[in-house]
């Protein structure tokens, strides 16, 4: 009889989409089909995803956990066989939005000195991160030729990138850079 091999939390790449919306993040969550559609657009098949849009300031909750680790831990505890199938590239999982939204909604655990170095605000919009995980070694392409915008203009995804837990401030710098670009080159957004 084959024993299941435990999958480690270190065997995953922490990826994310980032963008803005004119609505409160709690009102916008993507459904499973929409979230998986975004992941398919970057060429990742096997994944753990959610449709919960997380504000950057809440990416590290009061326990020091990130959404990526929370999604992994949830599957490891509740559906270890599914976690193994995803790790082997044979499945995908969707974590319901309300689970993550309740964990990452109102506590800023970034060091105050670090957080104050970055401007992650855009007047009239809420900046978001949409986290997902893929097994290490997975093929994907995070390059976007252009942003993707909802037909009504209420939400725009600018790109995707890797989240480095050892240097989380890289995400803040990335977001600040895209917002600076918007302020300089996207009058359609800034003038709303």
């Amino acid at each position: 009889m084959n024993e299941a091999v435990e999958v480690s939390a270190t065997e995953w790449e922490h990826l994310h989409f980032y963008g803005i919306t004119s609505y409160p993040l709690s009102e916008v969550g993507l459904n499973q089909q929409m979230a998986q559609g975004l992941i398919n657009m970057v060429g990742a098949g096997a994944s753990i995803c959610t449709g919960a849009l997380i504000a950057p300031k809440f990416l590290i909750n009061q326990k020091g956990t990130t959404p990526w680790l929370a999604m992994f831990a949830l599957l490891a505890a509740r559906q270890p066989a599914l976690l193994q199938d995803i790790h082997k590239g044979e499945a995908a999982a969707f974590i319901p939005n309300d689970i993550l939204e309740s964990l990452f909604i109102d506590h800023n655990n970034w060091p105050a000195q670090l957080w104050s170095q970055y401007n992650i605000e855009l007047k009239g919009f809420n900046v978001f991160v949409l986290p997902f995980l893929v097994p290490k070694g997975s093929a994907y392409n995070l390059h976007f030729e252009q942003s993707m915008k909802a037909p009504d203009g209420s939400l725009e995804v600018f790109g995707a990138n890797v989240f480095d837990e050892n240097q989380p401030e890289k995400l803040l710098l990335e977001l600040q850079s895209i917002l600076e670009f918007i302020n300089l080159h996207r009058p359609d957004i800034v003038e709303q």
Side-chain angles (χ1 to χ4, degrees):
M1 183 172 167
N2 289 339
E3 273 193 44
V5 177
E6 204 168 298
V7 178
S8 167
T10 61
E11 298 176 42
W12 301 85
E13 291 193 58
H14 300 188
L15 306 175
H16 64 277
F17 295 99
Y18 54 91
I20 59 171
T21 179
S22 58
Y23 291 105
L25 296 184
S26 61
E27 295 178 13
V28 181
L30 306 180
N31 63 34
Q32 183 175 359
Q33 183 179 4
M34 292 161 53
Q36 196 59 54
L38 280 173
I39 291 169
N40 291 342
M41 289 181 72
V42 298
S47 63
I48 304 169
C49 71
T50 183
L53 305 181
I54 311 288
K57 67 181 171 183
F58 302 141
L59 279 173
I60 305 170
N61 71 13
Q62 57 269 44
K63 294 183 180 186
T65 303
T66 65
W68 297 273
L69 288 178
M71 289 190 294
F72 170 83
L74 185 68
L75 277 186
R78 295 186 181 175
Q79 296 183 335
L82 177 56
L83 186 66
Q84 288 190 13
D85 288 344
I86 298 166
H87 189 259
K88 291 187 275 187
E90 299 171 356
F94 180 81
I95 306 298
N97 298 357
D98 57 343
I99 292 173
L100 282 187
E101 288 170 351
S102 66
L103 297 173
F104 300 93
I105 192 143
D106 62 2
H107 184 82
N108 184 346
N109 205 14
W110 291 94
Q113 182 180 352
L114 177 66
W115 182 255
S116 67
Q117 294 176 26
Y118 299 94
N119 180 10
I120 315 294
E121 302 289 328
L122 185 62
K123 185 179 178 191
F125 290 90
N126 293 301
V127 179
F128 68 83
V129 172
L130 178 63
F132 65 104
L133 297 118
V134 298
K136 278 195 175 169
S138 296
Y140 54 82
N141 177 5
L142 300 180
H143 178 72
F144 278 35
E145 291 293 327
Q146 63 184 38
S147 65
M148 293 177 286
K149 196 179 217 180
D152 66 358
S154 64
L155 181 140
E156 189 166 359
V157 176
F158 293 108
N161 213 338
V162 177
F163 176 74
D164 182 351
E165 275 202 337
N166 297 315
Q167 296 180 313
E169 65 276 5
K170 282 185 171 182
L171 181 136
L172 300 179
L173 180 60
E174 167 189 38
L175 293 174
Q176 178 177 278
S177 295
I178 193 72
L179 295 177
E180 287 172 352
F181 176 86
I182 290 168
N183 278 316
L184 288 173
H185 302 289
R186 293 283 307 271
D188 60 310
I189 291 176
V190 176
E191 293 171 1
Q192 285 188 354

